[in-house]
Amino acid sequence: MENNIKKPILQVKHIAKSFGENQVLKDISLDVYKGDVITIIGPSGSGKSTFIRCINRMTHPTDGAVYYNGRRIDNSASKLFYREKLRYKAALHLCKTSKEAVDEENKHNELKNAIKKDTKDVNINLVRAKIGMVFQSFNLFNNMDVLKNCTIAQRKVLKRTKEEAEKIAINNLTKVGMSDRINSKVRDLSGGQKQRVAIARTLCMDPDVILFDEPTSALDPEMVNEVLDVIQKLAKEGMTMIIVTHEMNFAKKVSNKALFMEKGYVVESGDSNQVFNHPKEKRTKEFLSSSTKK
Amino acid sequence: MNFFRKIFSFGAVALLTMLLAGCQSSNDTSKGQLIVGLECNYAPFNWTETSASDTNVPIDGKSNQFADGYDIQISKKICDYMDYDLVIKKLDWDSLIPSLESGEINAIIAGMTDTPEREQSIDFTNEYYRSELVLIVDSKNGTDNVLDATTLKTYLNGKAVESQVSTVTDSVIDIFAADYGAIHSKAVDSFPSAANDVSTGIVFAMTAELPVAKSLCASYTNLSIVHIDQAILGETASELGVSIGIKKGDTVLKTNINAALANIKQSERNDMMTTAVEQASSEHQLSDIDKINYLLSHYFQTFFNGLVSTLLLAIIGSVVGLILGIFLALGKNLKFSKDDNLFKKTIKGLCVGLCTVYSVVLRGTPMMVQALIFKFGAQAMGINFGTILTGVPIFDGWLVAGLIVITLNTAAYMGEDIRTGLNGLDAGQQEAALSLGMSKFKSFTLVVLPQCIRNTLPTLANEYIINIKDSSVLNVISVTELFLSVSIATSMNYFIIQGYVIIACIYLILTLIATLIFKEITMKLDGKKHNFSLFTRTASLFKNHGRSKY
C-alpha cells in the first residue's frame, strides 16, 4: 500500500505492438517504482525483448502509452491528433443541433490541448540517457577502448568534462571489477568482461532505471555468474532494474516483482515470491517446472 | 560562390545539354580576335615548346606552354594581314571540329585536309600548303628511285602499311591495298607511333606527308623516305593540300583568310616549311639513357607540373569523393517507415531514386566519356574552363574541370564501398549509442562512421590508387596531368618511349608510396606493432594492387 502513495518512475499503459499482421504485444501495463527489480520471464518469442525495447523507444509501440516521471515519452503526438480528428468528424455527423456542434468543437479543442500538454517537450535522447539499456550482445563500441566506451556518452550527451567523465568511468569500472582493463581494446576482452564494461558504461550516465535484455544469453556458462554477481550487487545498492532473463534461480533471488509473458500477453504478474513459488496460473507452473528441470 | 553554383547546377543537366549541343547559340569572337585550334603535337605543322622564343606563341589557358610550327607562322601572317590578335588553343585532333562548331575556336589551322566528309560539318578556305605523299621505310629497304605504278606493285606486294588514324595518309593506304597488293594495317593514334612501328619492324612502311616525314626521319635515324609518283594517287592527291577550317557559313572570315593566303607566295611557303622542319628536328641522335636525361633536364618543370596535377586529382578526387560518397550511401540506404506521411515518402523515394541512378550511371560509363560530356556540356552552357583561373601559375581551368569529373566519378564508387561497410556493420552498435542518449547524428558520426571507414579502408585505399592511375584519361579534356605531360615533352623530339618510361616510373612510385601509407594507417588503427622489416612490407604490397575501373 505504501507504494501507491509514491509516484512510479515508469508507467507503461496498455501498450501493443504489431509487425505487420503479426501482433507480438497485446495490452501490457506495468508500473515501476524506485528500487524495484522486476524480472520478465517467459518462453522465447513471447515478446519480452520487444516489450522492454518499447520502454525506451528503441521500438515504437503501435498503441498505448509510456510515462517517465509523469511525462509521456512514446512518440505518438501525430497519431493521437489524427485519431482525435477522426473521432471529432464522426461525432459531428451525429450532432443534431448547432449547440451540440459547438460543444463538440469545444471538446475537440480541449482534447487537442490535452494531447499537446501530454506530449510536450520530450527530448527522447535525454530520456534515453536516464533509462539505461544493457544488450544481449554487449554492443560495446569496437572503435574505442574500454575507458572511451564509458566516457564518450558522458561527454557528448551530458557535456561532462574529460576529467570528470574519466573519474566517473573509473569508479564504475571498479564497481564491476574492470578497473585493471581501462586501456584494453574491446576485441581483447572475454564475453563476461565485455558485458561488465557494458553495465559500467550504462551506470556512468547515472540512470534512474536500467533495462537488461537477456544480459547473459550470449555468454559461456562459466562467465554467466560474474555478470549476475554485478547485477545482484546493483540490486543491493537499490538500483531500479527491469531484467529479461532465462536464469530462473537468479530471477527468484534478485527480484521483488516478476512478470510471466507468453504470446504477447502477461499471463501472471505480481510479487516475485508469489509468482515463482506459488503461481496461480497453470501455464506459469508448467513453464517454471520445465525450466527448473534442466 | 556564383561560379560554384553554376558548376553544380550544370552537373545535373549535363546530359540533357549534350543532346541540345547542336542548337546552342553561337559564341562568336569578340572583335579583332582569331582563336585558332590545333593539336600542338604534329611537327612540323605544329608542336609545343616550354619556353618563349622569337617565333612561338603562348598557348591560351596554359602557363609555360608555347606553340610553334608552320601552322603558327601561317596563323601569324593571316592575323597580321587582317589586323587581328592571334589566340592559340591546344585541342585534341578529334575535338577540333566539335570545338569549331560550338564556337570555342574560330579556325582550325592544324594541317587539316579539306574532305567532303569534313565539309558536311565545317567550311574550308583555299589550301595554305600542299605536300607530297611519301612512304617511310626502314633504311635497309630504302630506295632513291621514285616509284611508279609498276615498281610500287613489286615494292609493296604483301607488305603491311599503316598511318595515323582518320587522316588522308591513312585512306591513301586503301589505294595501295586495292591496286598494289599492300596490307592495310590498323591505323595508330599518332605519326610517331607509326614511325615506331616501322622502326621496330612491326609494319613494313608508313605513309606521311613530306614535311612530317622529314622531321620523323630526323628523329628515327634508321628510317628513310621513299618518294612515289603522285599520279598514282589520282584524285586523292588533292586531299594532300591542307586548308583552314572555319565555321559553316562564316563567309566574311573565309573571304578575309583567302585574301590573306593569296598574299603568301609559294616560295615563301616552302621557306617557312623548311625552317619548321629544321626547327622541329634540331634534337640530335642520342642513346636511350641520354634521351631520358634530355627529357628530364629540358622538361623537368613539365613533368613536375604533371605530377602535381595528378596528385591533386587523386587526393582531392578521393577525399571529396569520399565525403560525397557518404551522403550517396546514406541517400541510397534511406528506409521507409510506416509512420511517414506522403510528403516524407515522396522525398525519400526521390532521394533513393536519384542516388541509385547516379551511382548506376557513373559506374556504368567510362570516366573518359563522362569527362567529354562534361566538357562539351559546360561549353554549351557557356562555361569555358579554359578561361577561368587565368594568371594562376602551373594550374589552369581544365584542372578544375578534371577535379570535378574525377570527384563525381569517385563519389559513385566510394558511395558503394561505404554502403557495403554500413550494411555490414552490426546494427547493435548504433542501438547502443542511441540507448546512451546520443542523437542519430552523433551516433552516426561517433560510432557508425568511424567503424565503417576502418572496415572499408582497404577498398578506399584501392580507389585512391586507381585514381592516381585513372586520372590519366582526363587528358581528353586537356587536363595537363602526368600522362599529357609526355605529349608536351615529346611533341618536338619524338622521344615517345623514353617519355612514357619516365611517367611509368613516377606512377609506380606514387602508388607504392600510397600503399605503404595506407598499410601504416591500418596498422596504427589496429594497434598492431610491426617488427618485420620495411622490405617484407614493401614486398607484401604487391599482393593486392589496384585494378583499373574502366
Side-chain angles (χ1 to χ4, degrees):
Chain A
M1 289 307 281
E2 286 169 13
N3 276 347
N4 287 345
I5 304 158
K6 282 197 286 179
K7 273 191 174 173
I9 306 177
L10 268 175
Q11 248 183 321
V12 181
K13 285 185 176 171
H14 309 292
I15 62 165
K17 173 70 186 175
S18 311
F19 292 108
E21 293 288 292
N22 179 23
Q23 195 172 6
V24 290
L25 290 182
K26 297 156 189 165
D27 189 25
I28 297 191
S29 299
L30 177 69
D31 285 357
V32 183
Y33 294 90
K34 191 161 175 33
D36 272 354
V37 177
I38 303 173
T39 50
I40 302 174
I41 56 171
S44 297
S46 57
K48 306 184 297 291
S49 291
T50 313
F51 173 59
I52 68 164
R53 288 166 61 85
C54 282
I55 294 177
N56 67 346
R57 213 202 280 173
M58 299 305 284
T59 303
H60 290 253
T62 337
D63 216 332
V66 181
Y67 289 88
Y68 168 70
N69 284 338
R71 283 198 323 201
R72 185 156 187 179
I73 58 167
D74 58 314
N75 184 23
S76 45
S78 56
K79 198 165 63 192
L80 292 174
F81 281 124
Y82 180 66
R83 279 186 195 164
E84 171 52 22
K85 202 169 114 192
L86 290 185
R87 190 206 61 79
Y88 171 60
K89 274 188 179 167
L92 268 190
H93 276 291
L94 297 174
C95 290
K96 286 179 189 120
T97 66
S98 60
K99 190 181 172 296
E100 272 179 26
V102 172
D103 286 347
E104 203 50 65
E105 197 187 333
N106 289 337
K107 191 181 165 194
H108 175 57
N109 287 334
E110 249 170 55
L111 283 169
K112 274 206 300 194
N113 284 334
I115 296 170
K116 224 181 255 174
K117 205 179 151 196
D118 201 23
T119 55
K120 199 179 75 177
D121 287 340
V122 172
N123 180 346
I124 188 65
N125 295 325
L126 292 180
V127 173
R128 278 179 180 152
K130 290 291 160 196
I131 305 179
M133 189 162 203
V134 174
F135 299 85
Q136 180 178 345
S137 49
F138 331 126
N139 296 346
L140 289 183
F141 304 134
N142 296 321
N143 56 327
M144 305 170 192
D145 63 12
V146 167
L147 188 63
K148 187 105 190 271
N149 259 286
C150 295
T151 54
I152 181 93
Q154 292 189 64
R155 296 183 58 199
K156 299 290 174 182
V157 180
L158 303 179
K159 310 284 176 200
R160 288 178 180 154
T161 63
K162 194 178 178 209
E163 293 72 30
E164 202 184 344
E166 284 184 353
K167 209 178 124 195
I168 293 170
I170 290 169
N171 276 342
N172 284 308
L173 284 167
T174 315
K175 194 182 273 180
V176 300
M178 288 297 295
S179 54
D180 53 335
R181 301 298 297 271
I182 56 168
N183 291 320
S184 298
K185 296 258 163 199
V186 169
R187 61 157 184 271
D188 297 334
L189 303 179
S190 72
Q193 288 173 325
K194 280 182 192 167
Q195 195 60 297
R196 285 190 280 150
V197 172
I199 293 172
R201 178 174 70 175
T202 305
L203 286 175
C204 288
M205 308 299 286
D206 301 327
D208 292 337
V209 189
I210 304 180
L211 312 174
F212 287 88
D213 187 3
E214 304 197 18
T216 57
S217 298
L219 295 176
D220 287 343
E222 53 196 35
M223 289 173 184
V224 169
N225 282 334
E226 60 184 81
V227 173
L228 293 184
D229 288 347
V230 169
I231 299 177
Q232 213 154 9
K233 196 169 159 190
L234 292 179
K236 273 188 195 132
E237 288 173 9
M239 176 59 78
T240 314
M241 296 186 281
I242 303 175
I243 308 166
V244 173
T245 185
H246 290 292
E247 302 286 333
M248 293 305 151
N249 292 330
F250 165 73
K252 206 189 288 184
K253 218 170 5 171
V254 79
S255 61
N256 65 337
K257 281 184 197 166
L259 223 71
F260 172 59
M261 281 178 70
E262 186 173 44
K263 292 177 185 159
Y265 286 108
V266 174
V267 177
E268 184 160 359
S269 70
D271 183 65
S272 149
N273 179 39
Q274 179 232 311
V275 172
F276 283 107
N277 298 330
H278 315 286
K280 286 180 196 143
E281 302 290 330
K282 194 176 149 227
R283 183 66 191 110
T284 317
K285 280 178 202 159
E286 276 172 21
F287 177 75
L288 285 172
S289 63
S290 70
S291 47
T292 38
K293 249 181 219 164
K294 48 165 200 180
Chain B
M1 221 36 222
N2 206 8
F3 160 70
F4 284 108
R5 208 176 306 147
K6 253 185 180 173
I7 305 261
F8 284 119
S9 64
F10 150 69
V13 284
L15 259 168
L16 189 70
T17 45
M18 257 318 276
L19 300 173
L20 303 171
C23 49
Q24 86 283 31
S25 64
S26 68
N27 181 17
D28 275 347
T29 34
S30 50
K31 217 175 170 186
Q33 216 182 31
L34 185 69
I35 307 176
V36 174
L38 31 72
E39 290 172 281
C40 302
N41 191 18
Y42 183 45
F45 283 101
N46 52 68
W47 65 78
T48 311
E49 291 177 358
T50 52
S51 55
S53 73
D54 295 341
T55 53
N56 65 19
V57 175
I59 296 173
D60 184 54
K62 307 265 176 192
S63 48
N64 292 325
Q65 287 189 33
F66 302 86
D68 204 347
Y70 181 81
D71 288 337
I72 302 298
Q73 303 316 317
I74 284 283
S75 305
K76 278 197 203 159
K77 281 207 170 352
I78 291 171
C79 283
D80 283 350
Y81 182 87
M82 302 198 304
D83 196 22
Y84 270 38
D85 283 333
L86 176 62
V87 177
I88 296 293
K89 290 234 175 183
K90 182 172 180 170
L91 294 164
D92 248 16
W93 177 255
D94 286 331
S95 57
L96 284 172
I97 292 179
S99 301
L100 184 63
E101 287 178 314
S102 75
E104 188 189 348
I105 54 175
N106 314 119
I108 301 172
I109 309 186
M112 189 178 270
T113 301
D114 178 358
T115 64
E117 293 85 40
R118 288 182 186 141
E119 268 184 39
Q120 306 251 315
S121 20
I122 58 172
D123 280 351
F124 283 97
T125 63
N126 295 340
E127 287 179 5
Y128 69 94
Y129 189 74
R130 176 182 285 244
S131 51
E132 180 192 349
L133 185 107
V134 294
L135 292 172
I136 302 176
V137 295
D138 195 308
S139 298
K140 65 177 187 270
N141 302 320
T143 165
D144 291 337
N145 301 331
V146 176
L147 300 174
D148 62 12
T150 337
T151 44
L152 188 66
K153 203 160 192 166
T154 42
Y155 191 67
L156 283 185
N157 197 15
K159 304 282 172 52
V161 186
E162 73 177 14
S163 193
Q164 181 177 326
V165 67
S166 51
T167 54
V168 183
T169 53
D170 187 52
S171 46
V172 161
I173 304 176
D174 285 336
I175 301 176
F176 294 161
D179 303 338
Y180 301 92
I183 299 160
H184 190 167
S185 285
K186 194 173 181 318
V188 292
D189 64 335
S190 69
F191 281 104
S193 324
N196 206 49
D197 287 350
V198 177
S199 163
T200 52
I202 293 171
V203 293
F204 176 75
M206 66 176 282
T207 51
E209 293 165 44
L210 186 58
V212 179
K214 274 185 181 167
S215 68
L216 280 172
C217 289
S219 303
Y220 292 85
T221 38
N222 59 333
L223 300 185
S224 54
I225 294 170
V226 174
H227 295 269
I228 55 172
D229 184 355
Q230 299 294 299
I232 289 168
L233 305 175
E235 281 184 12
T236 324
S238 71
E239 294 178 21
L240 289 166
V242 287
S243 309
I244 295 168
I246 51 174
K247 193 164 185 174
K248 221 165 178 53
D250 198 348
T251 41
V252 180
L253 186 63
K254 187 171 171 175
T255 323
N256 282 340
I257 292 180
N258 278 338
L261 288 176
N263 208 36
I264 309 168
K265 291 189 205 79
Q266 185 62 42
S267 58
E268 203 178 338
R269 295 181 188 192
N270 288 342
D271 288 348
M272 279 159 65
M273 184 53 85
T274 313
T275 320
V277 171
E278 278 167 8
Q279 259 184 297
S281 52
S282 59
E283 257 57 67
H284 335 283
Q285 312 318 315
L286 304 165
S287 73
D288 283 342
I289 297 293
D290 287 341
K291 282 177 181 173
I292 287 176
N293 283 338
Y294 173 85
L295 285 177
L296 284 177
S297 54
H298 283 72
Y299 293 94
F300 178 79
Q301 196 61 39
T302 309
F303 285 116
F304 182 77
N305 292 354
L307 170 70
V308 172
S309 295
T310 292
L311 271 179
L312 269 181
L313 287 167
I315 293 173
I316 295 182
S318 302
V319 172
V320 183
L322 175 63
I323 294 167
L324 291 181
I326 291 170
F327 286 107
L328 200 63
L330 287 177
K332 236 178 142 178
N333 256 3
L334 276 181
K335 298 257 163 32
F336 295 95
S337 100
K338 250 174 73 184
D339 298 339
D340 291 344
N341 54 26
L342 190 66
F343 175 73
K344 235 177 165 180
K345 271 185 184 153
T346 320
I347 296 286
K348 278 187 180 176
L350 265 176
C351 205
V352 173
L354 276 177
C355 292
T356 311
V357 167
Y358 181 90
S359 96
V360 166
V361 171
L362 271 100
R363 291 186 308 138
T365 50
M367 186 156 81
M368 199 187 263
V369 177
Q370 292 162 11
L372 287 168
I373 291 179
F374 183 83
K375 176 188 169 180
F376 289 116
Q379 274 168 7
M381 295 197 59
I383 303 165
N384 189 351
F385 283 102
T387 54
I388 62 173
L389 282 195
T390 32
V392 180
I394 303 185
F395 309 119
D396 56 44
W398 292 115
L399 182 67
V400 177
L403 281 171
I404 293 171
V405 170
I406 200 168
T407 305
L408 294 180
N409 179 281
T410 313
Y413 286 87
M414 295 277 197
E416 280 310 296
D417 297 340
I418 292 290
R419 204 164 71 91
T420 319
L422 288 177
N423 293 346
L425 206 65
D426 180 15
Q429 293 286 321
Q430 183 161 26
E431 275 189 0
L434 291 175
S435 83
L436 288 169
M438 290 189 204
S439 60
K440 273 190 177 167
F441 177 76
K442 276 181 189 155
S443 68
F444 181 76
T445 50
L446 295 172
V447 175
V448 176
L449 193 60
Q451 294 190 48
C452 172
I453 302 253
R454 164 63 198 93
N455 294 348
T456 44
L457 194 63
T459 334
L460 301 181
N462 231 20
E463 297 294 352
Y464 172 71
I465 288 168
I466 289 172
N467 271 347
I468 292 178
K469 296 181 292 174
D470 280 10
S471 56
S472 58
V473 305
L474 293 172
N475 77 77
V476 292
I477 56 165
S478 1
V479 179
T480 333
E481 38 62 68
L482 208 44
F483 182 78
L484 197 61
S485 65
V486 176
S487 323
I488 300 166
T490 59
S491 67
M492 258 178 86
N493 49 48
Y494 295 133
F495 298 162
I496 312 271
I497 301 174
Q498 293 78 11
Y500 285 123
V501 167
I502 290 173
I503 64 158
C505 293
I506 299 177
Y507 277 123
L508 190 62
I509 292 168
L510 286 183
T511 53
L512 284 181
I513 291 175
T515 323
L516 262 181
I517 290 174
F518 278 110
K519 271 252 148 122
E520 210 66 24
I521 293 174
T522 314
M523 283 189 184
K524 265 264 159 64
L525 288 177
D526 285 352
K528 278 182 195 154
K529 290 197 181 76
H530 41 75
N531 46 11
F532 46 100
S533 72
L534 188 72
F535 174 75
T536 13
R537 259 187 290 152
T538 317
S540 71
L541 297 180
F542 295 95
K543 275 188 224 157
N544 51 0
H545 222 258
R547 248 178 316 117
S548 177
K549 69 184 166 197
Y550 72 100

